[in-house]
């Protein structure tokens, strides 16, 4: 059974921090590069950070230096530590495979709202 359960979102003031978590089925976690995607209201879902199964990470320019993606193999969980949050970081965050065309299931996501 496919499992992608995102959590950790919330409402935070600009400059604040949040830590997102994504519990993933072992079969997906162990075999894929995983990423965090953000979908802002009225916009397409976009990748913001990714991490390979070997632990190599990459980020879009807008979050470099502020976001950190990590993975815990013992817990089949991927995290996204978000610091110095900005209003433009707001949206629903999803975790899934990279590329997203390889994903055949999406979780419910977790809402992040940053007030300026």
């Amino acid at each position: 059974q496919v499992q992608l359960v995102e959590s950790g979102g919330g409402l935070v003031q600009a400059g604040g921090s949040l830590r997102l978590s994504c519990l993933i089925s072992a079969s997906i976690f162990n075999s894929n590069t995983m990423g965090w995607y953000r979908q802002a209201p009225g916009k397409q879902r976009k990748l913001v950070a990714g991490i390979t199964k070997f632990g190599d990470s990459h980020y879009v320019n807008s979050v470099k230096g502020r976001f950190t993606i990590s993975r815990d193999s013992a817990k089949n969980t991927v995290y996204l530590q978000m610091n110095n949050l900005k209003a433009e970081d707001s949206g629903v965050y999803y975790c899934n495979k990279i590329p997203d065309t390889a994903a055949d299931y999406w979780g419910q996501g977790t809402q992040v709202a940053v007030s300026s």
Side-chain angles (χ1 to χ4, degrees), residues 38 48 59-67 86 88-89:
R38 176 174 66 219
V48 296
Y59 306 89
V60 295
N61 287 338
S62 61
V63 308
K64 282 182 180 177
R66 300 189 298 119
F67 289 12
K86 303 178 180 180
E88 53 263 41
D89 297 322

Side-chain angles (χ1 to χ4, degrees), residues 83-103:
N83 298 328
N84 191 21
L85 282 160
K86 303 178 180 180
E88 53 263 41
D89 297 322
S90 297
V92 180
Y93 283 72
Y94 302 87
C95 69
N96 218 314
K97 302 175 185 177
I98 295 175
D100 59 353
T101 50

Side-chain angles (χ1 to χ4, degrees), residues 15-93:
S17 298
L18 286 172
R19 188 193 194 206
L20 307 184
S21 300
C22 180
L23 178 63
I24 306 166
S25 302
S27 60
I28 296 175
F29 182 88
N30 293 326
S31 303
N32 292 277
T33 294
M34 299 299 299
W36 281 98
Y37 298 79
R38 176 174 66 219
Q39 186 166 23
K43 296 188 177 181
Q44 288 189 327
R45 188 160 42 205
K46 292 186 176 181
L47 179 69
V48 296
I51 187 166
T52 71
K53 58 184 179 180
F54 305 110
D56 298 318
S57 59
H58 57 273
Y59 306 89
V60 295
N61 287 338
S62 61
V63 308
K64 282 182 180 177
R66 300 189 298 119
F67 289 12
T68 303
I69 189 171
S70 60
R71 58 192 291 155
D72 185 333
S73 298
K75 297 181 179 179
N76 291 343
T77 300
V78 175
Y79 302 98
L80 187 67
Q81 177 68 44
M82 306 187 295
N83 298 328
N84 191 21
L85 282 160
K86 303 178 180 180
E88 53 263 41
D89 297 322
S90 297
V92 180
Y93 283 72

